Structures are given as C-alpha cells and as structure tokens.
C-alpha cells in the first residue's frame, strides 16, 4: 500500500519515512509540505513522490495510510480530513491543542471506521513494555511513588529549522512549549505503566533560557516541574526541559512496595530491578532513541499491523486525549498557582 506523510520536518525525515521505507507492506511514500523543497528533498531521499497540495495527498485513492507530522495547531484539521477521506491515520503528538479539537478527530475516527493511532512512542520501547509487564506481574507490589524526566538541549537543535525562529517557540503553533513536546510523552507513559490516571496536578513553568529570533524570552515554557497524584493514590514528580545541555535525560524511576524499577537510568542497562531483599536484576533490551541516536521505534510497524489485522492501537486517540487533558491541567496549575483536578477518562 502507499503511505502519505504530511509535514516534512525532522520527525518525518528521521522516524516516519525510514520506518515506512523499511516496512514490507509499504510500496511508496508520498510527501507533502507547504515548503515544496522539503517534500522534494524527502521524496528524493526515500525514492518517493510529491503531492503538490494537501488535498492532492488526502484525496489520492491509492494512498491508504497517512502520517500527520504537521505542526501541532494543524493536527485536528489534517487528521480529521484524512480520516473522513477514508485514510488510516497516525497522528503526531500532542493530538491537538484543545480538548474540543481532539474530540473532533475522535468523532472523525468513529464516523470513518478507520484506524487512528497517536505517536506516543514511549509506550513502544522494550524497556517500558518490560517494566509494565513486571508491574502487572505483582512481584514488586503496587507502585507507591515515581519520578520521571525528559529533557534535551531544545528543538532548535533537533528540528528542521535549526534557529530561534522554530515553530516550537511560537505559542499559536506549538501551544505548550516543552510541555507538549516532551512532557506529554512522560505523562502518557505514567498512564501506560501504571494503568492508572493522573487526576491531580500542581506545577511551575517558565521560559528560563530560550530566546526567540528577536532575543526576547520565548512565548512558551522551556522548563516545567510538576507534582501529581493518580486516581489510585500514587504520588509522583516530573520535570521537562529544553535546557539539558550536557546530555539528554529520558529516565523514570518507580518506587514500589517490594523494590524499585529504574528505566533508562544506567548507561548500560535500560531497566534495573532492585528488590527490597537486595537482589538486583539488570536488563539490556535496546538503546533508547535520542536526537543523536535514531533507531526504529516500532511505531510504523505497529500502525500498519493495526491497519492490516484489526489489532487495537497501543496508543489510541482516547489515550492521547487523556494525556492532553493532563498537560492542559499542568499548565493551568502553573498559571494559577493552584492544584488542578483532571478527569482524563
């Protein structure tokens, strides 16, 4: 089948396109970007073709699946239109900038009967899936507390526009700054690992270091720290940053009744189990995807498998809506100085 990609920035170039290219079910990739040079560049790199307009791509009957890699403010427009045009859609996160817009996409999914998956790719890593398996198995008891972080040196080093004019720094386009770029990954991950929901959250945020092309502080946050409680009473903390300049940090630690799970905390072992008895079990499972070390996420393979077999997505639109609600609650908490109650369901 043919795949279409909307938006030809770094996430398309480094993740979606190479993974479609490697999938045996995909015969060709059709690229669209409002900057024709970008779509032509990727079409050349991946032996694909170019759609001259968004409508040409979405209405092409030979294209069966579409990745929406557009900037955040466009997801509800393009993903909704693609679903209603009979395409299966893999939408980048966050699913949208508002609950209303996310619900529009979910309504289009329901009406079309097509697959909607959202690229919350941390659910797919082997370390996170193994950690969930261990928690489910009960050998460490229930999770009592957690801490998680995700940070790197910023999207102006990662994105296709390697300058301070990047859309990630613009409120009308990115919406949430680092909270929507990195934070939503980890908030979604907590939901996945614990099979629980964050229901209360407090936070602080700020534009501490990044400046725009005029040298002024950016319009969105470059750092957020938060405290939270889940529906089942688990307590946790989180920090998200675009100013981790020494190295990336993508780690999570879960403190359980009978031990500790450390994920992406050790340079050699992606998962460490430290039992209350003193026993230690270390797992070498894979290397985490970083900006400097791109590996196959498994997301495209999982998406195509859902399309061809009817398997339910690991990261559904409803999952993504729940995570979006927590991000919105986190930023509201930071803006108001209050503890915000969230209902992700």
């Amino acid at each position: 089948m043919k795949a279409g990609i909307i938006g030809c920035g770094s996430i398309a170039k480094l993740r979606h396109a190479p993974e479609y290219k490697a999938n045996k079910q995909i015969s060709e990739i059709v690229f669209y970007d409002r900057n024709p040079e970008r779509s032509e560049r990727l079409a050349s790199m991946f032996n694909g073709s170019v759609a001259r307009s968004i409508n040409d791509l979405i209405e092409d009957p030979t294209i069966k699946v579409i990745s929406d890699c557009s900037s955040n403010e466009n997801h509800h427009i393009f993903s909704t239109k693609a679903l209603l045009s009979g395409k299966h859609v893999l939408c980048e996160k966050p699913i949208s900038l508002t609950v209303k817009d996310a619900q529009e996409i979910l309504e289009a999914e329901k009406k079309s009967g097509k697959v909607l998956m959202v690229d919350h790719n941390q659910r797919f890593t082997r370390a996170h899936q193994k950690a969930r398996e261990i928690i489910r198995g009960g050998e460490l008891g229930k999770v009592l507390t957690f801490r998680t972080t995700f940070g790197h040196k910023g999207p102006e080093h990662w994105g296709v526009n390697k300058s301070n004019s990047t859309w990630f720094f613009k409120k009308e386009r990115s919406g949430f700054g680092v909270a929507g770029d990195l934070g939503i990954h980890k908030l979604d991950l907590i939901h996945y690992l614990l099979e629980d929901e964050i229901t209360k959250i407090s936070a602080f945020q700020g534009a501490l270091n990044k400046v725009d092309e005029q040298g002024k502080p950016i319009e969105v946050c470059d750092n957020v720290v938060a405290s939270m409680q889940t529906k089942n009473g688990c307590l946790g903390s989180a920090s998200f940053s675009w100013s981790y300049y020494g190295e990336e940090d993508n780690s999570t630690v879960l403190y359980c009744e009978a031990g500790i799970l450390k994920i992406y905390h050790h340079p050699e072992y992606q998962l460490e189990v430290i039992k209350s008895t003193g026993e230690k079990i270390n797992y070498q499972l894979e290397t985490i995807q970083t900006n400097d070390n791109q590996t196959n996420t498994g997301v495209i393979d999982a998406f195509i498998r859902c399309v061809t077999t009817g398997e339910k997505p690991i990261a559904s639109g409803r999952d993504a809506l729940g995570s979006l609600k927590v991000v919105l609650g986190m930023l509201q908490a930071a803006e108001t100085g209050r503890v915000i109650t969230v209902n992700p369901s």
Side-chain angles (χ1 to χ4, degrees), residues 31-44:
F31 296 90
Y32 170 76
D33 192 281
R34 63 181 184 176
N35 181 337
E37 291 181 0
R38 290 181 184 171
S39 52
E40 288 166 4
R41 190 179 307 125
L42 291 198
S44 177

Side-chain angles (χ1 to χ4, degrees), residues 77-330:
I77 299 171
F78 297 150
S79 287
T80 296
K81 192 169 185 177
L83 285 163
L84 294 178
S85 296
K87 314 303 184 187
H88 303 282
V89 173
L90 172 60
C91 180
E92 264 302 325
K93 54 78 210 165
I95 186 172
S96 69
L97 296 183
T98 69
V99 170
K100 180 183 176 182
D101 288 345
Q103 289 172 335
E104 181 182 350
I105 299 174
L106 293 182
E107 288 167 8
E109 174 196 21
K110 183 177 180 181
K111 185 175 180 179
S112 69
K114 299 301 179 180
V115 172
L116 169 66
M117 194 166 91
V118 181
D119 192 9
H120 283 291
N121 56 44
Q122 298 229 345
R123 292 184 176 224
F124 294 83
T125 75
R126 292 178 64 192
H128 290 147
Q129 291 192 348
K130 183 64 178 178
R132 177 173 149 119
E133 178 187 316
I134 291 169
I135 294 166
R136 273 187 157 186
E139 62 186 275
L140 296 180
K142 69 178 181 179
V143 180
L144 303 173
T145 62
F146 63 86
R147 58 183 172 89
T148 189
T149 190
F150 196 1
H152 57 53
K153 57 188 176 181
E156 75 275 31
H157 299 277
W158 144 257
V160 67
N161 176 6
K162 292 180 170 55
S163 79
N164 288 11
S165 66
T166 173
W167 69 264
F168 285 95
F169 290 174
K170 310 299 181 184
K171 188 170 181 61
E172 74 275 9
R173 299 193 66 192
S174 84
F176 312 131
V178 73
D181 181 33
L182 303 183
I184 199 166
H185 272 305
K186 290 301 189 180
L187 298 172
D188 180 78
L189 176 66
I190 293 302
H191 286 179
Y192 177 70
L193 291 178
L194 274 55
E195 298 182 75
D196 197 357
E197 295 180 337
I198 297 163
T199 54
K200 292 184 179 180
I201 192 162
S202 63
F204 293 92
Q205 62 90 20
L208 307 183
N209 187 254
K210 300 296 185 184
V211 295
D212 63 19
E213 62 269 42
Q214 277 82 45
K216 297 178 181 179
I218 62 174
E219 302 169 340
V220 291
C221 56
D222 60 21
N223 279 270
V224 185
V225 294
S227 299
M228 60 206 77
Q229 184 179 43
T230 72
K231 185 176 182 179
N232 292 334
C234 185
L235 303 179
S237 63
S239 56
F240 312 122
S241 179
W242 279 340
S243 58
Y244 287 2
Y245 294 118
E247 61 182 3
E248 291 189 28
D249 191 345
N250 201 343
S251 61
T252 299
V253 183
L254 307 174
Y255 300 92
C256 309
E257 291 175 308
I260 301 170
L261 276 170
K262 293 185 176 182
I263 310 169
Y264 301 126
H265 195 270
H266 191 281
E268 294 182 30
Y269 306 117
Q270 294 79 48
L271 179 62
E272 303 166 81
V273 179
I274 306 166
K275 296 188 176 182
S276 56
T277 59
E279 180 186 1
K280 295 183 179 181
I281 306 170
N282 296 323
Y283 293 87
Q284 286 184 313
L285 299 166
E286 92 265 80
T287 56
I288 184 70
Q289 302 98 19
T290 69
N291 290 350
D292 298 323
N293 179 36
Q294 298 296 324
T295 59
N296 192 309
T297 64
V299 172
I300 296 298
D301 290 345
F303 175 50
I304 298 303
R305 195 164 56 247
C306 290
V307 169
T308 56
T309 70
E311 181 181 316
K312 298 295 183 183
I314 293 177
S316 69
R318 191 149 298 281
D319 293 327
L321 173 58
S323 301
L324 171 65
K325 288 180 179 179
V326 177
V327 167
L328 290 167
M330 180 173 67

